[in-house]
Amino acid sequence: MTRLSADPHLEQCPDFTSTDLQSSCAPLLGPSTTDEQAAAILTTIWTATNSTLRIRWQGQLAADALAAAEEQRIIDEASTQHVAAEKLQADLLAEEDKKKNRLHHIPIPDRPCPTRASEAILVSDFALRKLDKVQFIELYYWTNKGLADARLNFHTTDDDSLVPTTATDGSTTWIAANAACPASGVIADHLLAPLDFSHAIPRFIASLQQRGWDSSRVLMLANFFGALMSHTYWTSDNALERHALLAYQEEQRRAWHQAIPLPAGAWNIALIDEVELSRTFDRLYHAERERADLDFEFKVRSFILKFQIDINVVCFISTCYPHLLS
């Protein structure tokens, strides 16, 4: 349908009785139709036509309004999507920058210097990097000796020395050389003294919190260590039972870390597996028995060998130098 170019509401009905419009009335004139009647008929026709055009005009205005609203909606939606895309891109770039320059984005609280700042622990960069990767790391790094080693390396290592390494996303990054190598003389968890183990636990948990670990995982590990230190083996007079508890801790925590990225996932490590703990004790017990048996066998063989040597010496002397025995 052809669009209307003018508002019909603004049009005025012509005066069909005027001499200028006599030609319009002429076709309607007849024996029974006067000039006035013809003008009235034309006026009625014009009024009806104008009313129809007015209705079309209102519909046209409504359609134009809907089209304009839809066009504006599309423009607004495109603008919103563009802004959202720019924000997402900016967020991704900011997140990437935080990963690459983590130290630049660590918030510094507005507070005075802590009164005991000199007593703050300094943990090995290598150990902290393991925590950032959610990988197993020995508790040795949080013992007194491990912290002393970290402080010594902090003062003696060239911090400008960098080595390439693979980040968690597969990209290559450069890190300090002392963060790429484990400390020398690391003691495995199952060989730690119970006192060193108990010293390391609160420091280890604090490091997990400082490195941004999920609170549920931190709580799970804290409960795990608490369950170990409240176990009957922990206060046992039997050194082998204490050793079994430390060995169980190391094996379970190592397996737990390895299981986290796997499809099946990890488990609640805080739930002590008494069956596995008993197996660990049995394995250590049998290993200790084998060692004791080997030591005993070695002593017996040494005694027999010495006895045989003594007999041979006596026989030799009695044969070659009998006067020495008289």
Side-chain angles (χ1 to χ4, degrees):
M1 185 178 294
T2 305
R3 285 180 57 85
L4 299 178
S5 59
D7 186 356
H9 294 80
L10 303 178
E11 296 180 359
Q12 297 292 329
C13 181
D15 183 7
F16 291 105
T17 60
S18 65
T19 56
D20 295 336
L21 297 178
Q22 285 296 318
S23 58
S24 299
C25 296
L28 300 178
L29 296 176
S32 59
T33 305
T34 63
D35 291 340
E36 290 77 9
Q37 290 175 332
I41 293 172
L42 291 176
T43 300
T44 301
I45 294 174
W46 185 94
T47 302
T49 302
N50 184 262
S51 297
T52 301
L53 293 177
R54 289 188 180 192
I55 294 174
R56 281 183 56 192
W57 179 259
Q58 293 298 330
Q60 182 175 298
L61 291 179
D64 290 346
L66 289 176
E70 179 63 16
E71 182 179 357
Q72 186 61 42
R73 185 192 67 79
I74 294 175
I75 293 174
D76 293 343
E77 184 177 338
S79 177
T80 301
Q81 292 178 351
H82 179 69
V83 172
E86 287 186 340
K87 184 178 183 302
L88 178 60
Q89 182 67 17
D91 292 343
L92 291 176
L93 292 176
E95 187 66 24
E96 185 67 22
D97 183 65
K98 285 183 179 181
K99 290 180 179 179
K100 292 182 178 179
N101 304 288
R102 182 177 177 277
L103 295 179
H104 294 177
H105 299 277
I106 295 179
I108 299 179
D110 183 13
R111 63 178 182 180
C113 178
T115 56
R116 304 185 66 182
S118 60
E119 299 181 15
I121 65 172
L122 181 65
V123 183
S124 164
D125 288 337
F126 174 79
L128 295 179
R129 182 167 175 77
K130 285 286 189 179
L131 290 187
D132 292 340
K133 291 184 175 182
V134 197
Q135 295 178 348
F136 173 83
I137 185 66
E138 292 82 359
L139 294 175
Y140 162 83
Y141 291 96
W142 286 268
T143 63
N144 291 342
K145 187 176 186 306
L147 296 178
D149 289 344
R151 188 170 295 277
L152 177 63
N153 290 331
F154 175 77
H155 289 299
T156 59
T157 303
D158 180 9
D159 291 335
D160 293 332
S161 177
L162 300 176
V163 295
T165 186
T166 302
T168 54
D169 58 358
S171 61
T172 300
T173 58
W174 292 83
I175 62 173
N178 60 344
C181 300
S184 59
V186 175
I187 301 174
D189 285 4
H190 69 278
L191 297 178
L192 288 176
L195 182 60
D196 289 335
F197 181 85
S198 60
H199 284 167
I201 295 307
R203 299 165 179 167
F204 178 71
I205 295 298
S207 291
L208 294 179
Q209 294 172 327
Q210 293 167 3
R211 305 307 286 190
W213 271 47
D214 185 81
S215 58
S216 62
R217 293 187 180 183
V218 176
L219 180 61
M220 186 180 296
L221 284 173
N223 290 336
F224 172 58
F225 294 127
L228 292 174
M229 299 177 73
S230 61
H231 197 276
T232 54
Y233 279 11
W234 183 256
T235 55
S236 173
D237 293 332
N238 187 339
L240 196 59
E241 290 183 344
R242 297 194 301 271
H243 187 195
L245 202 60
L246 292 175
Y248 169 85
Q249 178 275 146
E250 179 179 0
E251 293 170 358
Q252 288 293 304
R253 195 161 58 86
R254 188 185 297 275
W256 183 76
H257 277 281
Q258 293 175 347
I260 289 176
L262 298 180
W267 59 92
N268 186 356
I269 195 174
L271 303 177
I272 302 299
D273 188 343
E274 294 292 345
V275 175
E276 185 62 30
L277 179 57
S278 297
R279 290 173 181 169
T280 303
F281 175 82
D282 291 342
R283 186 178 71 251
L284 295 178
Y285 174 79
H286 289 301
E288 178 63 22
R289 289 306 310 162
E290 289 180 2
R291 186 195 63 79
D293 291 343
L294 289 176
D295 287 346
F296 179 75
E297 183 179 352
F298 175 77
K299 291 178 180 179
V300 171
R301 288 184 177 181
S302 298
F303 175 78
I304 293 175
L305 179 61
K306 183 177 182 301
F307 182 74
Q308 290 176 343
I309 292 175
D310 291 342
I311 292 178
N312 291 336
V313 170
V314 172
C315 292
F316 175 77
I317 294 175
S318 62
T319 302
C320 299
Y321 307 97
H323 62 281
L324 295 177
L325 299 177
S326 58

